[in-house]
Amino acid sequence: DAKTTQPNSMESNEEEPVHLPCNHSTISGTDYIHWYRQLPSQGPEYVIHGLTSNVNNRMASLAIAEDRKSSTLILHRATLRDAAVYYCILTRSNDMRFGAGTRLTVKP
Amino acid sequence: NAGVMQNPRHLVRRRGQEARLRCSPMKGHSHVYWYRQLPEEGLKFMVYLQKENIIDESGMPKERFSAEFPKEGPSILRIQQVVRGDSAAYFCASSAFRGLNTEAFFGQGTRLTVV
């Protein structure tokens, strides 16, 4: 299985941008890069996904390295409600396999 | 369009009893995934089903656990003869297509407590 590596935790100040990194050096050509987040006591929530090009949506931006071995989730202005565990996942065939994720703490 | 509905939200079972967890996918979705999350841990994939078929059950324990997704009705995750180690949050997700280039929607989970 292609694996992802994320920092265990990160901190951010409210209203500032946050860059959450993810390494996936064994990614294959057909793997999509997905990001989900899980707020406390809730189910995971889709954030964004992409294949090769950078992607933007109302929640975040996804910057994908040219060699696709890493990606970065960008929250443009962190709010207290963005405090969550963020998961970077490579989807291949049938499954979405979650790693440990990055626990983001947002300080007021 | 209602989201993914899981019930019950909380379930308490005594050791040796059966637990049945239900998941109604979003309207129009025919792909369902089940995950287990132990306290303070990440989500572990259990099984992927498409209407009436189990596509991938590589994450499912070989004994006591089973899953189905009938033509009509919700997907069911069934745990027989529960033990304390089965206590966890169980999440299901649904998608309209196979997971490569689509988003999956998760339910709020069922929190199983075995006493």
Side-chain angles (χ1 to χ4, degrees):
Chain A
D1 287 346
K3 293 190 175 178
T4 62
T5 304
Q6 299 177 254
N8 291 333
S9 62
M10 290 184 66
E11 281 189 355
S12 171
N13 293 318
E14 198 176 10
E15 305 288 315
E16 290 186 355
V18 182
H19 291 232
L20 297 164
C22 181
N23 287 321
H24 27 79
S25 58
T26 59
I27 192 170
S28 77
T30 55
D31 286 336
Y32 279 80
I33 303 159
H34 286 239
W35 284 81
Y36 285 77
R37 70 180 187 181
Q38 188 174 22
L39 279 66
S41 301
Q42 294 192 26
E45 172 187 33
Y46 168 83
V47 178
I48 201 166
H49 77 281
L51 183 62
T52 56
S53 304
N54 294 345
V55 184
N56 299 295
N57 66 20
R58 64 175 179 82
M59 287 182 71
S61 295
L62 176 60
I64 301 173
E66 198 169 328
D67 63 5
R68 301 212 323 128
K69 294 183 183 297
S70 65
S71 62
T72 301
L73 178 71
I74 303 165
L75 306 179
H76 295 287
R77 287 179 65 217
T79 70
L80 297 178
R81 288 174 295 179
D82 290 323
V85 178
Y86 286 78
Y87 297 98
C88 167
I89 305 159
L90 302 182
T91 55
R92 171 182 294 181
S93 66
N94 302 317
D95 59 40
M96 294 188 300
R97 308 263 171 168
F98 286 74
T102 296
R103 184 175 297 277
L104 176 66
T105 302
V106 181
K107 296 184 288 185
Chain B
N1 187 9
V4 176
M5 303 300 292
Q6 289 189 249
N7 67 80
R9 291 291 306 276
H10 299 274
L11 182 62
V12 179
R13 283 288 177 266
R14 296 186 185 278
R15 281 179 295 170
Q17 290 185 319
E18 178 180 289
R20 291 172 71 88
L21 287 62
R22 295 175 189 79
C23 171
S24 295
M26 287 186 69
K27 187 176 180 180
H29 286 190
S30 59
H31 301 259
V32 166
Y33 310 80
W34 284 94
Y35 292 83
R36 176 165 63 175
Q37 187 171 37
L38 296 171
E40 302 303 319
E41 294 190 13
L43 290 99
K44 300 296 184 187
F45 168 79
M46 298 181 74
V47 62
Y48 161 54
L49 310 102
Q50 195 178 353
K51 279 288 186 181
E52 300 185 89
N53 292 304
I54 296 174
I55 307 300
D56 182 351
E57 56 182 348
S58 58
M60 191 95 95
K62 293 286 186 285
E63 298 179 350
R64 303 189 297 108
F65 286 73
S66 62
E68 62 177 12
F69 188 16
K71 187 177 180 181
E72 301 291 338
S75 175
I76 305 287
L77 179 68
R78 183 183 177 205
I79 311 172
Q80 295 178 288
Q81 299 175 316
V82 295
V83 300
R84 289 234 171 96
D86 297 332
S87 295
Y90 292 83
F91 292 96
C92 83
S94 74
S95 65
F97 309 103
R98 290 172 70 158
L100 289 180
N101 188 22
T102 186
E103 61 185 279
F105 295 83
F106 281 80
Q108 291 302 300
T110 293
R111 280 150 183 84
L112 173 66
T113 302
V114 180
V115 297

